Amino acid sequence: MIMRGRYRIPPANALLAFESAARHGNFTLAARELGTSQSAVSRDISRLETWLSARLFERSRAGATLTDAGKRFHDAVLSGLAAIRHGAAEASELASGEQVVIACSHEAAHSLVMLRYGTLQRALGENVRIRILTYHDHLKNLPAEPVADILLTWDAAAAAPEDRVAAVKEEVRPVCSPAYAATHERTLAGPVAGWSELVFLDLLRPNEGWATWEDWFAAAGHPAGTPRRLGLDSYAYVLEAAAADTGIALGWRHFIEPLLEAGTLVALGQGYVEFDRAYYGVLTAKGRRKPLAQRCLDLFGRVD
């Protein structure tokens, strides 16, 4: 390997191949992750071992295990890559000018943040970049880079009162398409006890804290029979299925009002059922150091 310049270090592709192989304990899995061949990974690591004059892996049919020298080098590579990643995130943020990073679930991004995006942009200024990071299920999959300034969550108990606002109060009611409402007009005009023949659209997976049909039944009444449930993977799909005449969905006020105004969905029941819960905007440790993030958080408490 020919090294030029001030820093005599191996090529980046060799370091990435080594890090991936060390993490997986397998050259084939490393190649799959890096989008290359097993022979290319093996070749990069062999050249790296020659360059270092040290054996980094013990190879076997079961995989590859780091030697003591490999473990020492792996720690150094991880530290270096983390520093580069952090520096790249900071440089990107500075290069893009002022920005606010909002982290939330896919459902909240689709049905809440994007509905307010234009209003937030106008209030913060056209020179401010609003970036949305989405995660699945819960915070375990929250994207790490760049670190969020504001987190939208049901769990705000640990946040100081000045670091959180209630972005959405939980107010729900059933909704469906105009065509579905017309087809089942007589049933829907009657009490909930007679709604057993309807299709209830629901989420397949547990959610973060949203009200469920059972919560609404407890407040508005239960169907006398067992209605059919149709489960979908996301709340956005639930609303789309309702708009496609498939059944009735449980609609959150701030999410469904634009669809009601457009006539895509119609409201059912005797009004909204209110719960003593809210979906919060919370400042992260990074956000607390940014006046711009505080301004954005305040807007979440005022923008409808």
Side-chain angles (χ1 to χ4, degrees), residues 153-227:
T153 178
W154 286 101
D155 184 11
E162 64 271 19
D163 292 337
R164 69 186 186 192
V165 298
V168 176
K169 290 183 179 180
E170 188 154 50
E171 303 171 86
V172 300
R173 70 183 305 171
V175 294
C176 69
S177 70
Y180 194 87
T183 300
H184 300 277
E185 181 178 7
R186 179 174 296 181
T187 297
L188 291 168
V192 176
W195 287 17
S196 300
E197 69 180 59
L198 303 177
V199 176
F200 287 76
L201 305 172
D202 210 350
L203 286 170
L204 282 173
R205 55 178 173 74
N207 60 62
E208 297 175 52
W210 310 96
T212 65
W213 276 114
E214 281 63 35
D215 294 324
W216 187 81
F217 291 152
H222 291 262
T226 302

Side-chain angles (χ1 to χ4, degrees), residues 14-43 45 56-67 74:
L15 295 176
L16 293 174
F18 166 73
E19 190 283 324
S20 182
R23 180 161 32 87
H24 289 293
N26 187 287
F27 288 8
T28 300
L29 293 179
R32 188 176 303 164
E33 178 180 82
L34 297 172
T36 187
S37 65
Q38 186 273 340
S39 60
V41 169
S42 181
R43 190 163 52 248
I45 291 174
L56 300 174
F57 290 98
E58 295 293 346
R59 282 93 159 160
S60 70
R61 290 184 178 180
T65 305
L66 287 172
T67 62
H74 187 232

Side-chain angles (χ1 to χ4, degrees), residues 59-211:
R59 282 93 159 160
S60 70
R61 290 184 178 180
T65 305
L66 287 172
T67 62
D68 289 341
K71 292 176 183 177
R72 177 76 62 87
F73 188 58
H74 187 232
D75 289 341
V77 169
L78 285 179
S79 178
L81 291 176
I84 293 170
R85 184 170 59 245
H86 180 71
E90 288 190 340
S92 176
E93 184 169 340
L94 289 171
S96 62
E98 291 190 293
Q99 75 169 353
V100 177
V101 184
I102 301 168
C104 59
S105 67
H106 287 271
E107 284 84 355
H110 179 85
S111 303
L112 175 63
V113 180
M114 292 311 301
L115 294 179
R116 302 179 177 198
Y117 193 91
T119 303
L120 291 171
Q121 186 71 78
R122 288 188 293 273
L124 294 175
E126 295 301 323
N127 64 319
V128 174
R129 181 187 182 196
I130 301 173
R131 186 167 182 183
I132 302 170
L133 299 182
T134 57
Y135 58 82
H136 290 285
D137 297 331
H138 206 259
L139 305 187
K140 61 184 179 181
N141 289 324
L142 180 65
E145 300 288 359
V147 177
D149 299 308
I150 295 172
L151 173 66
L152 299 183
T153 178
W154 286 101
D155 184 11
E162 64 271 19
D163 292 337
R164 69 186 186 192
V165 298
V168 176
K169 290 183 179 180
E170 188 154 50
E171 303 171 86
V172 300
R173 70 183 305 171
V175 294
C176 69
S177 70
Y180 194 87
T183 300
H184 300 277
E185 181 178 7
R186 179 174 296 181
T187 297
L188 291 168
V192 176
W195 287 17
S196 300
E197 69 180 59
L198 303 177
V199 176
F200 287 76
L201 305 172
D202 210 350
L203 286 170
L204 282 173
R205 55 178 173 74
N207 60 62
E208 297 175 52
W210 310 96

Side-chain angles (χ1 to χ4, degrees), residues 223-297:
T226 302
R228 179 187 167 200
R229 297 286 189 100
L230 178 60
L232 296 139
D233 286 323
S234 88
Y235 186 61
Y237 296 161
V238 169
L239 292 183
E240 288 174 7
D245 313 329
T246 307
I248 63 175
L250 193 60
W252 280 262
R253 183 170 191 159
H254 284 73
F255 290 5
I256 63 173
E257 282 185 333
L259 299 173
L260 296 177
E261 292 172 4
T264 306
L265 297 175
V266 295
L268 308 173
Q270 303 300 313
Y272 288 95
V273 173
E274 298 183 17
F275 296 91
D276 188 22
R277 295 191 294 257
Y279 194 53
Y280 288 91
V282 178
L283 286 177
T284 65
K286 179 187 174 189
R288 288 194 294 271
R289 300 191 297 268
K290 293 177 64 172
L292 187 62
Q294 181 67 64
R295 283 177 55 201
C296 187
L297 182 74

